[in-house]
Amino acid sequence: MTEAPKKLHIKTYGCQMNVYDSERMAEAMSAQGYELTDDVAAADMVLLNTCHIREKAAEKVYSDLGRLRPFKEAKPDLKIGVAGCVAQAEGDEILRRSDLVDLVVGSQSYHKLPDLVARAGNGARPVETEFPAEDKFDHLPARPRQARPTAFLTVQEGCDKFCAFCVVPYTRGAEVSRPAEKILREARGLVEKGVKEITLLGQNVNAYHGAGEGGDWSLARLVRALAKVDGLERIRYTTSHPNDMEDDLIAAHGEEPKLMPYLHLPVQSGSDRILKAMNRKHTAEEYIRLIERIRAARPDMMMSGDFIVGFPGESDQDFADTMTLIREINYGMAYSFKYSPRPGTPAANAKGAVPAEIADARLQELQALLTEQQRAAQSAMVGREVGVLFEKPGRMEGQWVGKSDYLQAVHVKGEGLAPGVLARVRVTASAPNSLAGELIG
Ligand code: SAH
Ligand code: SF4
Ligand code: F3S
């Protein structure tokens, strides 16, 4: 008689790298006889893969832990693990704050998860938050559990930039690039399982410099090699830093049709004074000129970004400069946040805190402008022809949903559509967050 599989429930917070990591942890645990479940009540183990970027994200973990108490009471041998960036940042402090947690595993130690799970329980509460010298990816299987047309692939991890507000250099450690051949092998494996689009991930993905045939490979070189993989139709990468946007990468955008015309390039602020205080090491003007060069290589490039309002010392004029930059660039989509002081970062001790009401008002004003730009970008698509990679059925009978080259959701009714079908579509209508279209030909 074989043992019934145990059930693992994973909740993922934060960025795409956490999504990728959760998949890898699920794969590592499936080798230990754990199957994924969406149902917490059915789980033998719950893993929270956490995010430390803003206070709200980090505190959410503790309220979610509180919500697990009845499940643990109903099933005392339920194991609860905390992984990800809160685990990395807070370590055994988590055990003190919550008696429900059985194990803590930092983001660099996921290959040790099966061992930690085996050790946890009966009073043992293992914590693993080292930055080990070995390559965790060598120990984590990359076997997609289900066929999906899109996948993430981590190529670079960590950050050496130390923006004054940001915890990532501490939670993810120094920049490390994976060797090109390992990435190519993983990509080919994904394509064999039906993946058509790969998003290369890194905290500073365009700082990628991995060992490859003939020496050091840039991200552009990696992209060009990936573009030669038969069956891989689309390549994206995220997140980039303006200072690492090298000429060969910009050129690749003009020359490599598989590289999609959508670029997430955070700037955070349009004020040189604030950029300097943030330690971003570039000016607003340099960012604007950079995007001009990118658009010269790829005129239809859709830009996306991140903004922080209410950074310490931000004046009305600084904020006005950010609004000016946004008008100048014209974003297709963007994320914006109210500054959240993070323990251990240089800005946490900075003078000139912006009162909450002012920061809230600025955030509203900035989001109104970004929403208006996004709406305009969406309606400018009407009448245009665009590639769409279909992912899943839509809500209406016979309707399918996919993503455009510019990462917009597109709804289409048509014959022969299925996950993984890449088709040309004429856009017929737009809404703020999605498009409708019809198949061409
Ligand atoms: N490596 C990426 C992403 C970093 S985190 C980059 O360089 O942009 C994603 C976004 O969260 C950041 O771009 C920033 O806009 C926001 N962010 C980071 N720390 C923050 C903080 N302390 N308060 C508010 N927003 C923050
Ligand atoms: Fe954080 Fe700056 Fe590094 Fe991005 S570049 S991860 S914002 S420190
Ligand atoms: Fe959050 Fe860590 Fe990603 S702090 S944004 S999960 S790198």
Side-chain angles (χ1 to χ4, degrees):
M1 209 180 85
T2 52
E3 224 178 303
K6 292 194 200 125
K7 303 277 187 192
L8 170 65
H9 178 80
I10 304 185
K11 178 163 180 185
T12 306
Y13 310 68
C15 63
Q16 289 115 324
M17 196 172 287
N18 266 9
V19 175
Y20 176 82
D21 287 342
S22 288
E23 287 172 4
R24 301 294 288 267
M25 286 192 278
E27 287 152 16
M29 292 303 292
S30 92
Q32 307 293 314
Y34 280 84
E35 262 177 15
L36 278 187
T37 176
D38 291 333
D39 179 10
V40 183
D44 301 288
M45 173 161 178
V46 174
L47 194 58
L48 304 181
N49 192 9
T50 62
C51 174
H52 198 62
I53 200 82
R54 283 167 292 274
E55 190 183 358
K56 245 193 212 147
E59 287 306 310
K60 181 126 204 322
V61 175
Y62 292 99
S63 54
D64 284 355
L65 278 169
R67 240 170 266 135
L68 290 174
R69 186 172 298 281
F71 296 99
K72 183 105 170 182
E73 279 165 4
K75 194 192 262 184
D77 54 1
L78 171 68
K79 284 182 184 170
I80 298 180
V82 177
C85 290
V86 176
Q88 193 65 55
E90 297 185 8
D92 48 16
E93 176 65 21
I94 296 171
L95 301 183
R96 278 191 287 279
R97 280 190 66 180
S98 174
D99 61 338
L100 296 167
V101 176
D102 298 294
L103 68 104
V104 175
V105 58
S107 39
Q108 301 309 316
S109 309
Y110 292 156
H111 51 300
K112 298 192 177 150
L113 182 62
D115 172 53
L116 294 171
V117 174
R119 274 161 50 204
N122 296 323
R125 305 169 85 196
V127 175
E128 182 63 67
T129 53
E130 292 300 302
F131 283 94
E134 57 189 332
D135 182 353
K136 68 175 170 186
F137 295 111
D138 287 346
H139 304 271
L140 286 170
R143 287 187 301 259
R145 281 161 290 111
Q146 67 210 64
R148 257 175 312 183
T150 64
F152 294 131
L153 202 177
T154 293
V155 304
Q156 180 277 343
E157 199 168 348
C159 179
D160 297 341
K161 294 281 190 287
F162 291 92
C163 298
F165 50 81
C166 184
V167 295
V168 171
Y170 314 98
T171 63
R172 292 280 175 170
E175 287 178 5
V176 177
S177 296
R178 297 177 65 195
E181 192 44 55
K182 289 184 187 174
I183 295 164
L184 287 164
R185 203 181 310 142
E186 191 171 329
R188 284 185 219 109
L190 289 167
V191 170
E192 274 164 27
K193 298 271 170 150
V195 168
K196 298 279 166 59
E197 171 180 312
I198 292 180
T199 301
L200 306 176
L201 297 182
Q203 266 83 39
N204 268 318
V205 71
N206 58 344
Y208 176 84
H209 277 282
E213 207 187 300
D216 174 77
W217 282 30
S218 64
L219 185 66
R221 181 134 183 221
L222 183 65
V223 163
R224 288 180 196 273
L226 282 164
K228 295 202 178 81
V229 174
D230 276 337
L232 180 61
E233 307 290 350
R234 287 173 154 190
I235 302 166
R236 305 181 187 275
Y237 60 89
T238 198
T239 297
S240 301
H241 191 286
N243 290 355
D244 291 317
M245 206 66 213
E246 286 167 17
D247 290 343
D248 62 344
L249 187 56
I250 297 176
H253 275 287
E255 292 159 12
E256 186 40 70
K258 290 186 181 178
L259 191 53
M260 289 293 104
Y262 174 96
L263 182 61
H264 184 63
L265 196 62
V267 65
Q268 316 298 352
S269 169
S271 152
D272 289 344
R273 229 172 50 82
I274 295 298
L275 286 169
K276 191 161 197 301
M278 286 177 163
N279 193 32
R280 291 289 294 185
K281 299 202 174 84
H282 62 76
T283 63
E285 183 68 19
E286 282 162 352
Y287 178 80
I288 291 166
R289 295 284 97 83
L290 171 63
I291 290 176
E292 280 173 7
R293 282 166 51 222
I294 295 167
R295 283 179 168 155
R298 182 79 205 223
D300 63 336
M301 183 66 83
M302 184 164 292
M303 291 306 305
S304 154
D306 289 344
F307 294 90
I308 296 177
V309 300
F311 188 78
E314 186 186 69
S315 66
D316 286 340
Q317 184 57 52
D318 294 321
F319 176 64
D321 291 347
T322 300
M323 296 292 277
T324 303
L325 177 138
I326 293 173
R327 286 195 192 91
E328 182 112 6
I329 300 296
N330 194 12
Y331 289 90
M333 141 106 219
Y335 304 88
S336 47
F337 312 97
K338 193 164 77 166
Y339 170 67
S340 167
R342 307 302 293 129
T345 60
N349 308 314
K351 290 196 204 69
V354 174
E357 321 79 76
I358 295 184
D360 286 330
R362 285 179 188 163
L363 187 62
Q364 258 189 31
E365 200 182 325
L366 181 131
Q367 288 183 337
L369 176 59
L370 289 170
T371 305
E372 187 189 306
Q373 292 191 343
Q374 181 175 338
R375 193 180 290 265
Q378 292 280 106
S379 52
M381 293 300 296
V382 177
R384 280 182 60 183
E385 212 183 278
V386 72
V388 176
L389 177 61
F390 289 93
E391 292 177 15
K392 56 185 184 208
R395 250 174 293 178
M396 280 191 274
E397 181 70 29
Q399 186 194 54
W400 285 80
V401 191
K403 292 280 169 60
S404 78
D405 297 342
Y406 309 98
L407 212 53
Q408 299 145 315
V410 188
H411 298 256
V412 177
K413 268 189 188 174
E415 293 295 308
L417 294 181
V421 170
L422 185 62
R424 299 296 294 170
V425 166
R426 183 168 320 281
V427 179
T428 53
S430 79
N433 295 310
S434 70
L435 302 171
E438 53 198 28
L439 292 175
I440 295 170

